[in-house]
Amino acid sequence: LFHKRMVNLTIFSFIGAIIICIGYTFVLLLNNNRYDELTKLLTKKVFVHDLNRLKRSKNNYAIIMMDVDDFKIINDSYGHPEGDIVLWRLGQIISKETTNEIKAYRYGGEEFVIIAEGSASPYANKIAERIRHYMEEQGWEFAPDRIITISAGIAVGCDKDDVVKEADNKLYISKSNGKNQITS
């Protein structure tokens, strides 16, 4: 009887350990799909999901599209590891702005997007300007004299509006008008 209990306890312990390992692996895979490895911001895949949810809600929201000015020059001049430092640091600056109503995503490469919904939507300009200012003020060990800036475009809409395209067009205007600025 004692031997049978020990065997059962061993089997149940083994099965429990397997279930815990599978659960842990599932959580890791889920997080790896949700968060960008370098910046720790949400991924573009999550952005698309959240944007579709917002469009169905028919509530107003703001989209802030931003990217690092002259990023190719940074990579070419200083190297990709230093470019990664720039992206990581910008991710840290952006993440300080996030709340329940403000979500940040790495859209791709050196491009980032923020969704400001609900009561945060009217403050999109202030959010973008704070990020632009903090980025401009950063010091860089690999280039002490270099000022690295961002440009952004902001659009507000709801429902079926193509707010992302409008924000991207405004980002292009910021770039065309000299960079290191916000266009809304």
Side-chain angles (χ1 to χ4, degrees):
L1 184 63
F2 175 76
H3 179 68
K4 187 176 181 180
R5 285 185 185 162
M6 290 303 293
V7 169
N8 284 343
L9 180 62
T10 303
I11 290 171
F12 285 122
S13 296
F14 182 71
I15 291 171
I18 290 173
I19 290 171
I20 289 170
C21 286
I22 290 171
Y24 181 73
T25 302
F26 179 73
V27 167
L28 281 177
L29 288 173
L30 184 62
N31 279 339
N32 284 342
N33 287 331
R34 291 183 50 80
Y35 294 96
D36 176 64
E37 187 176 331
L38 177 63
T39 64
K40 307 303 182 218
L41 299 177
L42 295 165
T43 63
K44 184 177 180 178
K45 183 177 180 180
V46 178
F47 169 71
V48 170
H49 175 269
D50 289 351
L51 182 64
N52 287 331
R53 175 187 53 82
L54 276 171
K55 285 180 179 180
R56 286 190 304 272
S57 77
K58 301 183 187 215
N59 293 327
N60 273 350
Y61 57 92
I63 297 289
I64 305 168
M65 295 286 293
M66 63 179 60
D67 77 7
V68 179
D69 296 328
D70 302 317
F71 188 70
K72 183 178 179 347
I73 294 172
I74 294 165
N75 271 341
D76 292 348
S77 299
Y78 305 104
H80 290 276
E82 287 72 17
D84 284 350
I85 291 169
V86 171
L87 297 177
W88 176 82
R89 181 103 42 100
L90 179 55
Q92 296 300 300
I93 292 168
I94 292 171
S95 69
K96 290 179 182 171
E97 295 293 329
T98 60
T99 66
N100 287 337
E101 293 184 317
I102 303 168
K103 294 187 175 64
Y105 313 81
R106 183 170 181 196
Y107 198 68
E110 74 276 10
E111 197 164 24
F112 297 81
V113 64
I114 296 172
I115 296 175
E117 58 182 295
S119 63
S121 179
Y123 299 102
N125 280 351
K126 288 183 180 184
I127 294 164
E129 183 55 36
R130 269 194 307 270
I131 295 167
R132 189 206 62 74
H133 174 75
Y134 289 141
M135 189 65 180
E136 182 180 43
E137 294 294 314
Q138 297 298 303
W140 305 98
E141 286 184 17
F142 62 86
D145 297 330
R146 179 135 195 154
I147 296 172
I148 299 176
T149 59
I150 63 164
S151 295
I154 301 171
V156 178
C158 67
D159 198 8
K160 294 183 173 111
D161 294 336
D162 198 349
V163 183
V164 175
K165 184 173 175 37
E166 185 181 343
D168 199 40
N169 289 341
K170 290 180 177 179
L171 169 60
Y172 180 76
I173 292 169
S174 290
K175 296 281 193 182
S176 298
N177 288 337
K179 304 175 185 167
N180 192 26
Q181 58 187 279
I182 313 297
T183 303
S184 56

